[in-house]
Amino acid sequence: MVSKRLFLSAIITCLSVIAVAQSVRTHINFDTDWKFHRGHAADAARDFNYSLETIFSKSGSAWGTPADPAFDDKNWEDVQLPHDWVVGLPFQYVKNNDIDGHGYKPVGGLFPENSIGWYRKSFEMNRADSGNRFVIQLDGVYRDSKVWINGYYVGGNFSGYNGASYDITDFIRFNKTNVLVVRADASQYEGWFYEGAGIYRHVWLNTINNVHVATEGGVYVHTAAKTVTIETKVVNKNIHPANASVYTVITDRSGKKIAQGKEVPFTLAINESRTVKQELNIPAATLWSLENPYLYRAIVIVKSEGRVADSVQVRFGVRTITVDKDKGLFVNGLPVKVKGVCCHQDHAGVGVALPDQLQYYRIGLLKEMGANAYRTSHNPPTPELLDACDSLGMLVLDEPRLLNSGTEYENQFRQLILRDRNHPSVFMWSIGNEEFATQRTDIGKRIAQNQILLQQELDPSRTSTYAANMGNDFKGVNEVIPVRGFNYNLYGVDGYHKDHPNQPVIGTEVASTVTTRSIYVKDTVRAYVPDYDSTYPSWASTAEQWWQLAAKRDWFMGGFAWTGFDYRGEPTPYNWPNINSHFGIMDMCGFPKNVYYYYQAWWTDKDILHIAPHWNWPGKEGQPVLVWINTNADNVELFLNGKSLGKKDMPRNGHLRWTVNYEPGTLEAVAFKNGKKITSKVETTGKAARIILTPSKTTLSADNEDAVVVNVSAVDAQGREVPDAADLIHFSTEGGAVIIGVGNGDPSSHEPDQCVTGAWQRSLFGGKAQVIIRANNKQGAVSFKAEGNGLQTATLTL
Ligand code: GAL
């Protein structure tokens, strides 16, 4: 019924001496076999009588609503998590800033019929497991969720970004069907960007012993030099006191034991918890770094009455982070300029419901570009995003949804720190972003002070910043924040540094250049912005402006460009028909725009020589075309059909341009870098003849979770990619996988990302489209087919 991801196997490998009891925790994925139906935020009858039935007056009495275990859901839709019910809704124009900000999707207060989602899942529990504790863990539900098990209300979570866990032990029906029900209410927004709706992250069933490591923040691993400190909070939920002990084993990444702490005995009264601090040395530790993100594992073992009762495995890295007011950021004592990007969490095709593989795919793309840091703007990220950053070597600036020290939001920040503080990738906390009403005020200062103190208490190993769009103002939040974050407004930053020399400075949000991939001429009807680094809103700058400033100043720690990828919503500088942002260095699918090559040229050591635009301009013969070269070579000579158009020296952290009168053929750049010749060309192509499929990998695990990104393009009869192809392509799969979303990066496309007509299809935009395929649980080959009118079909076997 469910796939098991057990900590157990790793523990058994390295601890064969320990007889691991049956009762050691299990962490079972609960993503499959859900039933889903939309309710209604304004019509109780269409919300399955929720708010008409008095279901909160007596314990376990959810009768007459979907929270009742006897409710008949057989006509509800079958869904698998992660699930975003908004991504499949049609785009709809409404003149309203919030709808515009959320990408013209009909969800929120104006659309009560689309803003409630009910989820139900039935599962069996074996009586042999009774005596354990059972905890349901929901990693993220957008939003305002309420949870019932077998008709008993177990709790709710206001946040659409923080996860929540519920102990359901007392309500389990052994050897019978249990029903877990979640109601999500997305009628209120939390942000000003696309947020999706539904159970869009994983759900887990954790089975644990009564004596166990605390569910929230139970293990805190931090390192200084080569000393690893492990703080473990153990809880006794038995109905009698417990003789317990705890110790930790550290393994390297192959699972080999390299250190073991002494077993620390203690007794716990009923309901008592105790935190045990242990220090272990790894003298020859391999450090976690951006180049070699080496991960160790700390396996914490808890015994009760002499038997292993619980075990928790935490991946960690041995690394130091230092922030210097004059020299910026140091990782392991070496200076690191922050070459960062801000990102929202949605992706083409799937909305906010990303398979884990897509997190790795996106972080991989950013690394390839040369980025070394990711800001989780403006909300707690999906846990697997941080796993990807730990594994691939990407620093993270981790941020709660907003700046507020009221009980709800203080708790949200607390939960975020407790959840994420073991990740070596997290190098700093952000306490919030652009709080217009608050940031300059005394209240803002008090709230910030509270959150900073909380952060210092829960994670003294790091410091924090705040994303302030306040120019040089030293008021409110800025008076107390340890690291001054600048959102834009960098014109006076030298003066700020001079006046406040003891406050380190980072660019929490910079650039906001707007570009449309593959479009080089402004189009106010289709709402496209030319793909040159030249258009930006009044508060922002080009990529070149901010990076030239940052690169020259050691005390300027670096910054986070807004944004790594386009995202749904905030369709700046246009509105409808534009439905997603233009801020991305890559588009919604992760296809590079021209500005990508600017960053790649100056953020990596690779030989980069990129010509924009493409060379298909029928009808423009003899007219001037702006040619833009991004390169890190020393000089470039440009040739049109073999004729030199001149040679230019490359300015550091800049770009080169030519104005070329268009003539079909070949535009070639010849560059020299340290005496080495590099060439690159764009050619006028014929029309699309064949479809080309490029998968992110060719094998899939039959685990209902694994996913592959397939990029689709078209080539002409001579095999040259056609950069302006716009053909409609149909997709199908057979065997052990299903398509879960399609996209093409067109910020004004109203084509569905999901399958609404019974068949999957998408037009190419700028010659490209993307399909996301997820494994099911069938073994065997998957065949994927892409067909288009007049095009040679392409197939792929996975
Ligand atoms: C910032 C804001 C971001 C985004 C960006 C667009 O002010 O923090 O969320 O809206 O502007 O440039």
Side-chain angles (χ1 to χ4, degrees):
M1 172 190 69
V2 284
S3 68
K4 286 198 174 191
R5 289 195 195 166
L6 304 182
F7 294 135
L8 217 52
S9 53
I11 298 163
I12 288 169
T13 336
C14 65
L15 296 177
S16 45
V17 281
I18 297 167
V20 179
Q22 283 267 305
S23 47
V24 167
R25 73 172 57 203
T26 58
H27 183 57
I28 296 172
N29 182 273
F30 245 33
D31 285 352
T32 55
D33 302 321
W34 285 84
K35 288 285 195 178
F36 170 76
H37 206 292
R38 261 180 274 159
H40 202 291
D43 179 347
R46 288 164 70 192
D47 200 20
F48 303 100
N49 287 343
Y50 184 77
S51 82
L52 289 181
E53 295 290 346
T54 311
I55 60 171
F56 292 111
S57 69
K58 289 284 178 188
S59 183
S61 62
W63 302 306
T65 71
D68 178 358
F71 181 89
D72 181 2
D73 61 16
K74 71 171 176 300
N75 294 325
W76 286 22
E77 189 187 340
D78 292 311
V79 297
Q80 183 180 321
L81 311 181
H83 178 245
D84 173 358
W85 83 69
V86 175
V87 69
L89 297 176
F91 296 99
Q92 189 170 328
Y93 177 71
V94 178
K95 194 169 163 22
N96 173 291
N97 281 345
D98 288 323
I99 302 289
D100 167 289
H102 282 75
Y104 296 103
K105 286 289 187 178
V107 66
L110 293 176
F111 299 95
E113 69 281 16
N114 292 333
S115 298
I116 302 292
W118 284 94
Y119 292 84
R120 302 182 91 250
K121 178 181 168 71
S122 302
F123 60 101
E124 308 293 319
M125 291 294 269
N126 197 328
R127 185 169 301 281
D129 291 330
S130 68
N132 288 307
R133 301 209 75 80
F134 303 97
V135 176
I136 283 289
Q137 175 187 333
L138 297 127
D139 285 343
V141 181
Y142 193 86
R143 67 173 291 281
D144 202 0
S145 52
K146 296 194 165 39
V147 180
W148 293 262
I149 179 81
N150 296 331
Y152 288 86
Y153 179 67
V154 289
N157 182 12
F158 175 85
S159 169
Y161 297 100
N162 281 65
S165 290
Y166 305 98
D167 189 320
I168 56 167
T169 312
D170 295 344
F171 315 106
I172 297 293
R173 307 197 294 198
F174 292 104
N175 292 350
K176 285 199 185 130
T177 301
N178 295 273
V179 187
L180 176 65
V181 179
V182 178
R183 180 182 187 268
D185 181 347
S187 51
Q188 179 69 258
Y189 304 123
E190 291 192 43
W192 51 96
F193 37 85
Y194 178 85
E195 305 186 275
I199 311 182
Y200 70 99
R201 295 180 182 168
H202 296 304
V203 174
W204 306 93
L205 172 65
N206 299 322
T207 305
I208 51 182
N209 192 288
N210 280 310
V211 176
H212 59 262
V213 173
T215 311
E216 194 176 37
V219 181
Y220 177 31
V221 182
H222 47 103
T223 61
K226 295 190 173 180
T227 303
V228 184
T229 305
I230 305 110
E231 297 177 44
T232 308
K233 185 174 172 189
V234 183
V235 188
N236 177 27
K237 282 283 177 186
N238 269 319
I239 51 173
H240 48 76
N243 292 310
S245 66
V246 65
Y247 68 99
T248 305
V249 170
I250 293 180
T251 75
D252 66 11
R253 71 172 164 209
S254 69
K256 193 170 126 225
K257 181 162 105 181
I258 53 164
Q260 177 165 340
K262 281 212 187 78
E263 194 167 333
V264 182
F266 51 94
T267 50
L268 288 173
I270 297 163
N271 267 335
E272 191 188 351
S273 65
R274 168 152 333 173
T275 299
V276 177
K277 192 167 169 177
Q278 292 172 293
E279 280 185 358
L280 292 177
N281 283 317
I282 322 181
T286 304
L287 301 181
W288 183 93
S289 67
L290 295 168
E291 300 74 33
N292 181 23
Y294 193 95
L295 295 170
Y296 289 93
R297 278 150 184 82
I299 301 163
V300 174
I301 293 131
V302 173
K303 286 189 187 170
S304 169
E305 311 308 330
R307 302 181 59 183
V308 176
D310 195 8
S311 178
V312 170
Q313 189 187 147
V314 172
R315 295 198 315 171
F316 70 96
V318 179
R319 57 110 184 91
T320 57
I321 295 285
T322 335
V323 172
D324 183 278
K325 63 187 172 50
D326 301 315
K327 294 256 152 49
L329 181 73
F330 289 76
V331 178
N332 301 324
L334 300 171
V336 171
K337 195 76 165 185
V338 175
K339 300 167 178 168
V341 290
C342 300
C343 288
H344 282 315
Q345 52 176 1
D346 62 316
H347 187 88
V350 295
V352 290
L354 275 66
D356 298 349
Q357 274 300 316
L358 208 41
Q359 308 285 4
Y360 287 82
Y361 183 73
R362 284 163 64 93
I363 297 301
L365 293 177
L366 292 170
K367 276 218 67 127
E368 184 65 27
M369 178 179 95
N372 62 15
Y374 183 106
R375 174 175 169 221
T376 70
S377 43
H378 306 294
N379 49 262
T382 296
E384 291 74 20
L385 180 271
L386 295 180
D387 291 342
C389 292
D390 289 347
S391 298
L392 301 177
M394 176 73 69
L395 297 170
V396 175
L397 179 60
D398 206 354
E399 184 167 284
R401 182 54 290 285
L402 53 77
L403 178 70
N404 183 337
S405 52
T407 308
E408 169 64 33
Y409 290 105
E410 191 194 72
N411 268 334
Q412 289 191 14
F413 192 39
R414 174 181 288 109
Q415 286 169 357
L416 176 71
I417 296 172
L418 292 179
R419 191 195 69 170
D420 293 350
R421 62 186 176 173
N422 291 331
H423 289 277
S425 55
V426 175
F427 78 108
M428 200 183 286
W429 304 99
S430 156
I431 62 166
N433 174 73
E434 295 189 358
E435 295 290 350
F436 310 122
T438 307
Q439 59 188 6
R440 283 190 166 79
T441 66
D442 199 40
I443 291 182
K445 182 173 161 183
R446 278 180 263 150
I447 297 173
Q449 188 72 74
N450 185 83
Q451 303 301 74
I452 294 163
L453 290 175
L454 178 67
Q455 179 261 298
Q456 285 300 321
E457 176 201 330
L458 300 174
D459 180 26
S461 77
R462 296 179 181 87
T463 185
S464 48
T465 186
Y466 166 74
N469 59 334
M470 296 168 62
N472 280 8
D473 277 6
F474 186 74
K475 280 187 192 149
V477 177
N478 287 347
E479 289 177 60
V480 290
I481 196 74
V483 176
R484 170 65 212 273
F486 270 82
N487 274 18
Y488 315 103
N489 306 300
L490 291 176
Y491 42 82
V493 72
D494 286 333
Y496 188 89
H497 175 60
K498 200 157 157 257
D499 292 346
H500 310 285
N502 294 323
Q503 202 180 28
V505 174
I506 190 167
T508 31
E509 204 174 304
V510 290
S512 267
T513 315
V514 279
T515 57
T516 311
R517 177 180 64 78
S518 80
I519 300 291
Y520 299 90
V521 181
K522 184 170 166 180
D523 181 342
T524 53
V525 176
R526 289 292 296 157
Y528 294 148
V529 202
D531 196 2
Y532 302 108
D533 180 22
S534 50
T535 316
Y536 52 91
S538 57
W539 59 90
S541 78
T542 62
E544 212 165 298
Q545 282 162 359
W546 90 265
W547 179 245
Q548 287 189 354
L549 181 144
K552 280 194 204 117
R553 289 159 176 78
D554 283 350
W555 53 266
F556 192 88
M557 216 180 293
F560 294 86
W562 188 266
T563 44
F565 302 90
D566 279 344
Y567 52 92
R568 293 172 180 78
E570 288 210 304
T572 325
Y574 302 109
N575 307 108
W576 185 266
N578 183 190
I579 47 81
N580 73 237
S581 90
H582 280 92
F583 295 117
I585 299 167
M586 289 177 257
D587 69 11
M588 286 281 312
C589 301
F591 295 133
K593 301 185 188 173
N594 187 22
V595 68
Y596 169 98
Y597 299 97
Y598 172 77
Y599 286 111
Q600 199 182 33
W602 302 113
W603 283 5
T604 72
D605 295 332
K606 295 174 200 163
D607 293 340
I608 304 301
L609 177 58
H610 182 262
I611 309 175
H614 57 71
W615 215 236
N616 282 10
W617 298 102
K620 279 213 163 179
E621 287 76 5
Q623 292 177 35
V625 172
L626 173 60
V627 173
W628 190 292
I629 308 260
N630 280 311
T631 180
N632 46 17
D634 305 324
N635 52 58
V636 181
E637 187 168 4
L638 194 65
F639 296 88
L640 177 60
N641 293 328
K643 217 166 34 230
S644 173
L645 302 177
K647 186 171 179 174
K648 297 185 185 183
D649 284 338
M650 185 65 203
R652 182 148 187 83
N653 295 319
H655 71 279
L656 291 175
R657 346 175 159 197
W658 273 261
T659 301
V660 179
N661 287 337
Y662 178 67
E663 135 191 333
T666 305
L667 186 68
E668 185 174 27
V670 177
F672 284 88
K673 191 181 173 195
N674 298 328
K676 185 170 132 197
K677 186 173 172 187
I678 318 166
T679 62
S680 175
K681 64 179 179 184
V682 285
E683 283 180 274
T684 310
T685 71
K687 67 181 190 35
R690 260 188 313 128
I691 301 172
I692 300 290
L693 300 176
T694 313
S696 57
K697 57 178 190 169
T698 50
T699 51
L700 275 169
S701 306
D703 63 357
N704 282 315
E705 298 279 348
D706 201 2
V708 169
V709 176
V710 182
N711 290 331
V712 185
S713 57
V715 293
D716 69 3
Q718 291 179 50
R720 297 174 300 194
E721 191 166 311
V722 182
D724 51 353
D727 305 70
L728 179 65
I729 315 286
H730 302 273
F731 306 105
S732 54
T733 47
E734 269 174 37
V738 289
I739 299 172
I740 56 167
V742 290
N744 64 9
D746 177 353
S748 297
S749 168
H750 297 174
E751 288 177 289
D753 287 357
Q754 299 276 300
C755 180
V756 287
T757 55
W760 286 96
Q761 60 179 50
R762 193 73 193 229
S763 303
L764 300 177
F765 173 70
K768 293 184 194 298
Q770 185 172 78
V771 183
I772 298 157
I773 298 177
R774 191 189 60 214
N776 53 32
N777 56 3
K778 284 192 215 138
Q779 300 286 339
V782 177
S783 100
F784 173 74
K785 196 166 13 164
E787 300 163 279
N789 238 342
L791 298 175
Q792 191 182 319
T793 297
T795 56
L796 189 69
T797 307
L798 300 168

